[in-house]
Amino acid sequence: MTASLIPTICADIDANREALIALCAKLVAARSVNPPGDTTGVAKIVDDYLAAGGIATERVAVDPSTPNLVGIVAGSAPGRHVLFNAHMDTMEPGRESDWTVPIFELTRRDGRLYGLGLGNMKGALAAMALVTVLLHRHRRAWSGRLTMTAVSDEVLFGERGAATLLRERRDMGGDALISGEGPGYMGLAVAEKGVLWLNIETSVAGGHSSRAQRGGTAITELAAVLGELDALNDLYAEIPAALRGLDAGDDRVGLRVSFNVGTIEGGTLRGQIARGARAEVDVRLPPGITIDEVMARVKAVVGRYPHTQATVVKGWNANWTAIDSELARAVSESVTATRGKAPNPVV
């Protein structure tokens, strides 16, 4: 991109401020809570917006209710390929009584915008859509290729979203990918924790509750296992060399393993010994700690309990981009130019 184009793009963004907020409002109103993860309403809004800007999109889907959108803008000459990525589904809102604003309406208050999924990540989806349209408008002034992707099923790390897109479209690899899902507090996420999903299950012989013994029911054994594994929350990583200078937070949360029991179930009746119990566990792995290291600790604990086993559902190690890489520097410089303050590099 030529240096002369930067002020033009910035001026165009300023001129489209209210249109961008209006787009955010439409996206918040289009419900896409996952589960079930139906993103057809959001996809249509993004599709229509890009089409109005002259950009044709392609839908890649294995489930019509969870499409993935791809829009491609080519510059005036060959060059590097940059991808924008945003997801269209949202977390569930919890108890409505805890909200101080309408859940599915955009609220403007004290210089901020509120509404379900705006931070995670419909605001970024709208911003990336706007910039994609603007870069298409000025495509004769830059070289390379920009691909805008809007995916489904991210909240559950499901197979209907990015996994489908990468499997069906081999050209979705590029020189750089920028995701607009920020880490909060205007930080620049140069790293993201890995994921390890486990099912931990206990099975014992049943019986009447009058014959229960200490630790002898499926639920009490599972509880003991989970109590030991909770110590994973005290495990910290050493900062990899490429991330020296990282802001890990006051409590170093960016370098800490997080172990969370998302769901737990077991037993049938109060008066019977529970024969089976099961927990669904989410472990997040900071840069510098691998799945193999965590699983060694999990196996050491589970191995001491005769009726319990742990099964890996899915997982991947942390990924990161070096703080001094060209991409990280470019994004940091852009943030500094826009806000007058350099962002903290974080996990």
Side-chain angles (χ1 to χ4, degrees):
M1 183 183 295
T2 61
S4 61
L5 180 58
I6 294 175
T8 300
I9 293 290
C10 290
D12 284 351
I13 291 172
D14 290 340
N16 281 274
R17 180 182 181 86
E18 289 303 317
L20 177 62
I21 294 174
L23 178 58
C24 286
K26 288 182 180 180
L27 293 173
V28 169
R31 305 187 182 201
S32 55
V33 174
N34 197 1
D38 187 329
T39 56
T40 51
V42 176
K44 185 178 188 310
I45 292 168
V46 175
D47 198 11
D48 289 347
Y49 182 86
L50 294 177
I55 302 169
T57 60
E58 177 187 350
R59 293 197 176 202
V60 180
V62 291
D63 178 346
S65 70
T66 56
N68 303 289
L69 297 182
V70 178
I72 298 174
V73 179
S76 59
R80 288 185 287 188
H81 181 198
V82 175
L83 294 100
F84 285 165
N85 179 259
H87 65 84
M88 299 182 285
D89 55 329
T90 70
M91 306 286 284
E92 59 89 25
R95 294 178 300 191
E96 188 171 359
S97 60
D98 290 340
W99 283 72
T100 60
V101 297
I103 295 174
F104 295 107
E105 296 178 21
L106 187 74
T107 298
R108 303 173 71 160
R109 178 185 294 175
D110 301 326
R112 294 177 178 270
L113 303 177
Y114 298 91
L116 181 65
L118 195 58
N120 185 14
M121 61 178 297
K122 290 180 176 179
L125 174 62
M128 287 184 155
L130 169 61
V131 173
T132 300
V133 168
L134 296 181
L135 288 173
H136 178 264
R137 182 183 302 170
H138 299 288
R139 60 192 179 278
R140 299 184 188 281
W142 54 274
S143 300
R145 174 183 172 192
L146 170 66
T147 299
M148 163 88 189
T149 59
V151 300
S152 297
D153 217 16
E154 188 272 350
V155 166
L156 300 182
F157 296 139
E159 294 299 314
R160 301 175 295 177
T164 290
L165 184 58
L166 292 172
R167 184 176 62 250
E168 299 296 325
R169 289 290 301 269
R170 297 294 182 179
D171 60 334
M172 289 297 100
D175 297 291
L177 181 141
I178 300 174
S179 171
E181 185 171 352
Y185 305 101
M186 299 306 293
L188 171 59
V190 292
E192 185 174 45
K193 287 185 175 181
V195 172
L196 175 60
W197 279 6
L198 302 172
N199 287 341
I200 301 178
E201 299 176 273
T202 302
S203 179
V204 303
H208 192 271
S209 63
S210 63
R211 300 181 63 83
Q213 299 180 35
R214 181 176 179 177
T217 75
I219 290 176
T220 54
E221 180 168 315
L222 179 62
V225 172
L226 297 177
E228 286 200 47
L229 290 177
D230 190 55
L232 287 169
N233 282 305
D234 296 328
L235 183 61
Y236 288 81
E238 293 295 326
I239 297 178
L243 295 178
R244 295 284 162 76
L246 184 80
D247 181 359
D250 293 338
D251 57 358
R252 299 176 66 219
V253 66
L255 297 177
R256 181 174 63 80
V257 171
S258 60
F259 172 89
N260 176 63
V261 180
T263 69
I264 189 168
E265 59 183 15
T268 54
L269 295 173
R270 187 193 303 264
Q272 291 184 342
I273 293 173
R275 298 179 59 188
R278 178 174 182 265
E280 294 181 331
V281 171
D282 180 307
V283 186
R284 299 299 169 102
L285 312 168
I289 293 180
T290 66
I291 288 176
D292 289 344
E293 292 174 85
V294 171
M295 282 306 301
R297 292 172 179 260
V298 170
K299 290 175 180 177
V301 171
V302 172
R304 294 195 295 271
Y305 293 85
H307 308 107
T308 301
Q309 63 179 4
T311 304
V312 175
V313 177
K314 64 175 60 178
W316 51 86
N317 290 318
N319 61 81
W320 60 88
T321 300
I323 288 178
D324 64 354
S325 67
E326 181 184 8
L327 177 62
R329 291 200 312 269
V331 176
S332 180
E333 290 167 2
S334 296
V335 174
T336 303
T338 302
R339 301 187 68 240
K341 180 181 178 182
N344 288 331
V346 301
V347 179

